[in-house]
Amino acid sequence: MKKQFILFTLFTLLLSAQNIILTSEQEKNWEILVESAQSSQKIPLGEFMAKVITPPNLLHTISLPFEANVKKLHVANYQEVTEGEILADVTGTEWIETQQKAISDAITFQYHEHLAERKNMLCKEEIIPQKECITSNAELEADKIKVAASKALLKSYGASDEMIMHLFRDLTLSPTIPLRSTVDGHIVNLNAAPGKSTSPEDALFVIQEKGSLWLESAIEAKRTEDLKEGEKVQIILGNDIFDTTIIQLSPVINPENQTRQIRFLVPANINILSGLRSNIKIILDKESLKIRKNAVIKIEETQVVFYKTKEGYTSLPIEILAEDDLYYFVKPTPLLENKIAVTSVAILKNMLGSKDE
């Protein structure tokens, strides 16, 4: 490897050292035109197929912790919903039994509350021994814990504070429980239907919250060698042009097609939909010089340009960073500040004694 690098360096120096002396008449006859390389702060990485996807943190699943039956559906797929909005009314044996237990706990608590109140009065008057009050108060504290646990269980099932208060105050069952949205967004997956029975593992609703989406693309591994996570890039997607960053770069290469998966963040103000597949152009924030493609010619395995000198022209190897239809984007060097031949490049190559390829 080191030997190859040394040979390349010697070859580069040899090319750089080859001057072509021309008379003004020769230069005129061959119609050699020159121009300056253009400075550029961006280079194109290329055009690739990409897909817009929703980040997992924007997808919210609504389900039930018990087996249930959907009595009434209030929304449709893709509908916009707000946090707290009722999505469906459901019922189930476990829901009814949980309420019945809560009512039983409430009745027991009320009984022991009145009993403890009476006994505490009698204890103050020393009519009954203190140990009976201690026992009664302990039973009341145990009942308080049971009531709190029942309320927490009802809350986990989706019961509102108002429903729980009504249950413990009036001691009456609610045949159904409203299933509410936990976020603002759009329903993107609806698996509930009137009369449908559900299990705790069923995702009845999937709601997509508003936020920045992801753009993913598989790019040839060799073209990602200099890319880094957090690097700023510009994306052209249809009529949209936006600045963004590389948020993730896969640490592995797909062995089947030798690509790496790259993920970009789509700004929230860009109006594109999840699931879209489209070609994108990726442009990197990197300094370079733009040189017309007809100014570059290949000698052996090296890309070369000819820059203008007082006597004529001198060959100069270049390092190509990227390209588009018209230009090569090359690594800047001081010698590229000279004007470069953009016509009759093949003639200049032949004057070096090289064979055309």
Side-chain angles (χ1 to χ4, degrees), residues 63-75:
S63 58
L64 288 165
F66 57 90
E67 292 184 353
N69 183 269
V70 179
K71 288 297 184 182
K72 187 176 182 179
L73 192 62
H74 294 275
V75 294

Side-chain angles (χ1 to χ4, degrees), residues 241-292:
I241 301 176
F242 54 89
D243 295 323
T244 185
T245 56
I246 299 174
I247 55 175
Q248 285 179 337
L249 183 62
S250 66
V252 296
I253 296 174
N254 186 330
E256 295 181 1
N257 54 19
Q258 293 297 294
T259 62
R260 293 177 72 185
Q261 198 76 9
I262 297 185
R263 183 174 292 152
F264 306 95
L265 187 68
V266 180
N269 63 319
I270 302 299
N271 187 25
I272 56 176
L273 301 178
S274 182
L276 173 69
R277 287 183 179 271
S278 179
N279 285 334
I280 63 169
K281 291 182 181 179
I282 303 174
I283 301 172
L284 307 179
D285 282 337
K286 193 170 185 179
E287 185 179 359
S288 66
L289 291 174
K290 288 170 60 177
I291 297 177
R292 292 184 186 274

Side-chain angles (χ1 to χ4, degrees), residues 153-212:
L153 184 58
L154 290 167
K155 191 82 171 178
S156 71
Y157 281 7
S160 65
D161 292 336
E162 185 180 355
M163 286 185 67
I164 294 172
M165 183 181 68
H166 174 77
L167 176 68
F168 280 86
R169 183 189 63 204
D170 300 337
L171 304 178
T172 56
L173 296 171
S174 296
T176 61
I177 181 172
L179 189 59
R180 299 176 183 272
S181 173
T182 55
V183 294
D184 296 336
H186 286 83
I187 298 173
V188 294
N189 197 348
L190 191 154
N191 296 313
K196 180 178 179 180
S197 296
T198 70
S199 300
E201 63 270 15
D202 293 340
L204 301 182
F205 303 89
V206 179
I207 299 175
Q208 179 181 320
E209 191 179 5
K210 293 180 181 179
S212 297

Side-chain angles (χ1 to χ4, degrees), residues 26-51:
Q26 287 176 313
E27 191 165 352
K28 183 179 179 180
N29 289 338
W30 291 333
E31 297 180 345
I32 301 176
L33 300 178
V34 295
E35 65 178 34
S36 298
Q38 302 176 39
S39 177
S40 175
Q41 299 303 314
K42 297 181 182 293
I43 63 172
L45 182 64
E47 186 170 348
F48 310 94
M49 176 61 68
K51 181 181 179 180

